[in-house]
Amino acid sequence: MLYSLGISFFEFDRVAGKWNFLGLGNYKEILSDKVFWSSILVTGVMVGVALIVEVVAGVSLAIFFGQKLKGSKFVRAILITPMILNPVVVGLMWRALLNPQWGLINWFIGLFGIDNPPIWLADPKWTLWTLIFVDIWQWTPFIFVVVFARYQALPMDVFESARVDGASPLKIIRYITLPLVSSAVVFAAIFRGIDSFRTFDLVYGLTFGGPGRSTTTLSFYSFENGFVYYRYGFASALSYIMVIMATIGFSVLLKWIPVRRNH
Amino acid sequence: MKDKDGVSGVDSSSSGVNRRDFLKVGATAAAVAGASSVGMAESATAASFNPKKFAGTTVKILLVDGERDQEGIKDKISYIQKTHGIKVEVTALALGAQLEKIQSVLHAPTSEYDIIDNLGFTVSGVVGGGLFTKLNDYIANKELTASTYNYPADFPAGQLDYTSRYDVAKNKFGGKDVYLIPGMHSGSVIMFYRKDLLAAAGIPVPKNWDDYIDAARKLNTGGVSGTTMIAANDVSLILVDWYARFASMGGKLMSGTPGAKNYKPNLNGATAVRAVQHMIDCAEVSPKGVGSFGFTESVDAFSRGDVALMLCWSTIAGSAFNPATSKVASKIGAVQIPGDANTSGRPIRGGWGLGIPKNLPQKRKDAAWMVMQYITSAEFDKYQFDKYQTDPNRRGTYVDAALNKKYPYLKVAGQAMENAKMLDVALIPECFELVGEAAREFNLAIIGSQTAKQACANAQASWEKILKRAGHLA
């Protein structure tokens, strides 16, 4: 950590093989860099949209499967499969599914008479949303697993009492289930939010930040500068700005979301 | 110049050679190479060369994945163990990961790998940084180098000045000091076409860029696309498709020199815009989603029989001639890329160079040289091409009669190789960054998000910013 902080004030000259001190030069360059600001926007949209959908869907699934319906164990096992797949495999799999010539998705859309379905990974209007969709597909199960585990551990007599008192299923969810699982939801959301903020592998595998800069996230931009262009100092400075942003962002989030300690 | 077959030839007045000269040179090289293929392993008896001098050691090789380079070596691991007594281990990584790995191992106290394959566009950064072992003494040493090795005569001159010789003191390509040996593959860009479709439509093989787009439009029928391209946000968009058009339309990419701090790009000139516009026009008669096509997608579409015309690295698309991997293997022709009047169809020079890291103990360097000598030998060059169709490194392989009979595009690839032009910005370590920026802008133009003129203006601005930051432009 300290080493990378140190090199954020330098730039490496590959030909001369030495580090040149730049002071705050890398940080100044980042703040005046258009791509940096567009990456913040892309990352913000990605984290915001994906997290909201993942939390809503994950919690809904946890409550649904909490009803212990017939065959739910089998469906649950299938449901968590995306989460355990290697991100590179996920990227390759979705590239194939979204292939404009022979991909399953556009073939399926074609069955409904749509002749010109979108080019999901090459049209800037769609790429970010495609990326968000794949992220949701892969990571909703994570929220589901965490919340479901908490839900299963809740004392059943509370729910029984509510039913005896005549509470409707919706009221039970609103006034009993959600408050009782809120700590697990917040934990899962923060964990997932931090992970989503660092999203790199999915971008690398699916869009490589393009077309243009339409899917360049902060992490990908940092990777590109560090490991494609060998601007180690610039990439380190970018990473430190990300650390500061994440620390501030999630501290605020923790204060903003109330979590009950005692039920 | 054009030869009587109508094949678009090359400009013999420049640094290149024409086909006749090429064949002559190649015939001589082939004779020597033939001797080499016999002698390499058994030459312990000839002179004082002993391939088993470093028996008992292990040599680790770092290559790129996805270009079939590692396959031949893997086939020959037990052979090398038998003939050299050296155990060989191969690691092949995806391009980005391989470039990253190279940087880390070359700057480590001791390199993890004994032999590293370097992409030509990165040579100024790694060899220019003085990170590789000078090989002149090895080549001159009769105890360590087989008399049949035939360096430099059996290697194309242009390739030697690109992925072999480098002047570290002056930080420029060429000179007398050898740091790399061309390999695992060399190569350039040629044009592939469907003979049957052109013949059925009565269209001659395109010889200039107007002919090319006309032919592509006429052939874009019956479920077949007129052409395909590398149009994804990928460096090969620039290196293969855009640069082939730009250079053979008469464009000059850079003016000035990095040292004089007046190294200025010409990306917003009329020729640059015309080359991008030509790609935009071609996209209209390319397979759907061509804006996301890298070379794999392009070659796959061509090999499936879905496309009539294609420019591509010969080392990548050579597999389209292999019936095992192509539905149209017997229906394909290959020629030099089109060129406008007063220019030649002169493509970009590609290829890799194998080197021995400087940060190795002497004994590991010596053992590495023995293995590197074998995998850059005439014997191995022919084996690798025949089995995997990666472009050869040696002239003798390009003109080998048996291989040409089996793979008719080989001599065309050889000519392209002899006459290819090094990308101007390969002179500076920021090469990849520059190419990446231009690829991003041109990709946006091809998918319709901006015009060719806007893309070129944006690329020009990006390049100037990078060149100024790096101190190549005041």
Side-chain angles (χ1 to χ4, degrees):
Chain A
M1 288 282 282
L2 287 175
Y3 176 74
S4 65
L5 177 65
I7 64 171
S8 73
F9 302 109
F10 289 81
E11 194 55 82
F12 185 62
D13 182 337
R14 276 186 293 152
V15 174
K18 60 175 188 176
W19 291 93
N20 297 322
F21 182 66
L22 295 182
L24 292 172
N26 285 324
Y27 290 92
K28 283 181 189 164
E29 189 183 338
I30 289 169
L31 295 176
S32 62
D33 182 0
K34 280 190 295 186
V35 182
F36 168 69
W37 293 106
S38 75
S39 307
I40 288 184
L41 185 66
V42 169
T43 310
V45 171
M46 182 147 177
V47 174
V49 175
L51 196 57
I52 289 169
V53 177
E54 284 164 18
V55 167
V56 171
V59 172
S60 305
L61 286 169
I63 293 171
F64 178 75
F65 281 99
Q67 307 311 308
K68 293 176 180 164
L69 303 170
K70 203 176 176 187
S72 64
K73 275 188 184 169
F74 177 69
V75 179
R76 258 176 12 222
I78 293 177
L79 205 67
I80 61 167
T81 310
M83 189 179 79
I84 55 176
L85 289 177
N86 182 314
V88 178
V89 175
V90 172
L92 288 173
M93 190 182 82
W94 279 97
R95 276 187 80 88
L97 287 170
L98 297 165
N99 186 292
Q101 288 197 295
W102 44 264
L104 205 61
I105 304 283
N106 280 6
W107 170 80
F108 185 72
I109 291 173
L111 294 180
F112 296 94
I114 298 167
D115 293 333
N116 282 307
I119 312 287
W120 305 101
L121 298 176
D123 183 343
K125 286 199 297 285
W126 290 101
T127 40
L128 181 57
W129 300 109
T130 307
L131 211 57
I132 290 171
F133 175 80
V134 177
D135 189 82
I136 291 168
W137 173 84
Q138 188 177 19
W139 291 111
T140 296
F142 172 75
I143 306 277
F144 160 67
V145 165
V146 174
V147 177
F148 185 72
R150 173 71 183 134
Y151 186 73
Q152 293 292 86
L154 293 177
M156 284 300 113
D157 52 346
V158 182
F159 296 95
E160 288 300 324
S161 304
R163 276 191 207 103
V164 170
D165 290 344
S168 68
L170 277 179
K171 280 193 173 168
I172 292 175
I173 291 172
R174 167 73 182 83
Y175 293 106
I176 299 177
T177 311
L178 288 179
L180 289 179
V181 298
S182 64
S183 56
V185 174
V186 171
F187 163 77
I190 288 178
F191 199 87
R192 184 64 212 121
I194 292 170
D195 205 35
S196 182
F197 183 71
R198 297 183 297 127
T199 295
F200 158 74
D201 33 29
L202 209 55
V203 180
Y204 183 87
L206 273 179
T207 62
F208 212 74
R213 288 290 185 190
S214 62
T215 56
T216 299
T217 57
L218 281 166
S219 277
F220 183 81
Y221 192 44
S222 180
F223 156 80
E224 191 181 31
N225 276 284
F227 297 110
V228 181
Y229 304 153
Y230 308 116
R231 299 192 67 204
Y232 301 123
F234 186 89
S236 290
L238 201 55
S239 301
Y240 264 87
I241 290 176
M242 282 181 68
V243 169
I244 294 166
M245 286 170 67
T247 308
I248 294 172
F250 289 103
S251 300
V252 170
L253 203 65
L254 270 175
K255 283 199 171 183
W256 183 60
I257 300 174
V259 181
R260 290 187 198 175
R261 288 182 184 277
N262 302 304
H263 298 291
Chain B
M1 62 180 282
K2 318 279 184 208
D3 69 14
K4 65 182 179 181
D5 299 334
V7 173
S8 180
V10 288
D11 181 4
S12 57
S13 63
S14 60
S15 67
V17 290
N18 61 27
R19 179 192 281 193
R20 191 172 302 157
D21 294 340
F22 170 68
L23 291 172
K24 241 191 282 177
V25 171
T28 314
V32 180
S36 157
S37 69
V38 174
M40 192 70 189
E42 292 83 17
S43 52
T45 52
S48 51
F49 173 68
N50 176 12
K52 287 199 167 171
K53 194 174 167 96
F54 301 99
T57 51
T58 298
V59 167
K60 294 182 179 178
I61 307 175
L62 177 62
L63 302 176
V64 74
D65 194 15
E67 303 191 13
R68 306 187 300 280
D69 286 341
Q70 71 273 36
E71 305 301 335
I73 301 180
K74 283 184 177 169
D75 293 349
K76 296 285 184 182
I77 283 177
S78 56
Y79 176 78
I80 297 170
Q81 175 88 56
K82 193 175 148 197
T83 56
H84 291 65
I86 296 174
K87 186 181 170 197
V88 171
E89 292 175 9
V90 183
T91 303
L93 301 175
L95 179 62
Q98 196 241 12
L99 296 178
E100 180 195 332
K101 192 76 178 169
I102 290 174
Q103 286 297 321
S104 64
V105 298
L106 290 178
H107 288 100
T110 305
S111 172
E112 180 185 344
Y113 296 98
D114 305 85
I115 300 173
I116 293 177
D117 206 8
N118 299 279
L119 180 60
F121 306 113
T122 66
V123 166
S124 66
V126 289
V127 179
L131 302 169
F132 277 92
T133 304
K134 199 166 139 182
L135 304 173
N136 298 58
D137 290 345
Y138 281 113
I139 295 166
N141 188 332
K142 290 190 168 105
E143 283 183 31
L144 297 178
T145 302
S147 58
T148 51
Y149 188 56
N150 202 17
Y151 178 98
D154 197 23
F155 293 86
Q159 203 64 16
L160 292 173
D161 284 342
Y162 182 47
T163 55
S164 189
R165 299 170 179 145
Y166 201 88
D167 187 330
V168 173
K170 292 180 183 162
N171 199 22
K172 63 181 219 183
F173 286 89
K176 290 179 179 169
D177 295 339
V178 180
Y179 288 93
L180 307 172
I181 301 292
M184 292 300 300
H185 69 259
S186 296
S188 184
V189 176
I190 59 176
M191 188 179 99
F192 296 85
Y193 65 96
R194 284 278 299 277
K195 289 187 288 189
D196 57 329
L197 297 177
L198 264 75
I203 299 169
V205 178
K207 294 188 174 66
N208 61 54
W209 293 106
D210 289 338
D211 285 352
Y212 187 93
I213 187 67
D214 285 348
R217 283 175 178 142
K218 284 177 190 159
L219 294 165
N220 190 53
T221 178
V224 173
S225 298
T227 184
T228 185
M229 292 182 292
I230 300 167
N233 177 17
D234 180 303
V235 290
S236 282
L237 180 159
I238 300 296
L239 303 176
V240 174
D241 274 283
W242 180 78
Y243 193 80
R245 287 166 171 82
F246 174 74
S248 52
M249 285 173 179
K252 190 169 181 293
L253 190 57
M254 303 297 292
S255 57
T257 61
K261 296 187 186 301
N262 61 355
Y263 200 45
K264 201 167 164 67
N266 301 312
L267 280 171
N268 54 359
T271 312
V273 175
R274 188 184 156 212
V276 177
Q277 187 59 49
H278 194 275
M279 291 184 75
I280 294 171
D281 296 342
C282 283
E284 289 170 10
V285 287
S286 291
K288 199 170 179 199
V290 73
S292 62
F293 276 27
F295 51 63
T296 307
E297 289 85 355
S298 264
V299 174
D300 285 352
F302 191 77
S303 300
R304 281 197 305 272
D306 296 345
V307 170
L309 302 170
M310 173 179 74
L311 304 182
C312 199
W313 296 115
S314 43
T315 192
I316 300 291
S319 58
F321 281 88
N322 186 341
T325 52
S326 170
K327 280 186 182 175
V328 288
S330 61
K331 299 173 182 172
I332 302 173
V335 289
Q336 304 300 320
I337 63 166
D340 282 356
N342 303 319
T343 70
S344 62
R346 202 169 172 197
I348 197 164
R349 182 173 291 288
W352 294 69
L354 290 154
I356 301 170
K358 207 172 183 179
N359 54 346
L360 280 180
Q362 191 59 44
K363 198 179 169 193
R364 277 180 66 187
K365 286 182 184 178
D366 294 343
W369 171 248
M370 299 307 275
V371 173
M372 199 162 97
Q373 198 184 152
Y374 173 70
I375 61 177
T376 56
S377 68
E379 173 191 354
F380 184 84
D381 205 42
K382 284 180 185 165
Y383 172 81
Q384 168 78 18
F385 172 76
D386 190 17
K387 190 145 185 207
Y388 301 106
Q389 295 87 54
T390 57
D391 269 2
N393 303 292
R394 287 179 171 257
R395 285 172 163 162
T397 311
Y398 279 111
V399 296
D400 183 273
L403 290 174
N404 269 285
K405 197 174 172 191
K406 208 166 164 186
Y407 300 101
Y409 77 95
L410 183 58
K411 63 183 178 215
V412 179
Q415 280 181 288
M417 174 71 195
E418 292 281 354
N419 294 281
K421 187 175 179 295
M422 195 176 90
L423 181 70
D424 313 46
V425 291
L427 293 173
I428 55 173
E430 291 76 19
C431 174
F432 251 73
E433 191 176 357
L434 295 170
V435 173
E437 287 298 321
R440 186 170 294 114
E441 296 299 337
F442 296 173
N443 165 254
L444 284 175
I446 291 165
I447 62 174
S449 293
Q450 59 184 351
T451 64
K453 206 170 173 183
Q454 284 167 335
C456 288
N458 291 343
Q460 174 81 12
S462 294
W463 279 37
E464 285 184 14
K465 189 180 160 196
I466 293 165
L467 292 166
K468 280 179 185 169
R469 188 195 73 217
H472 305 310
L473 179 64

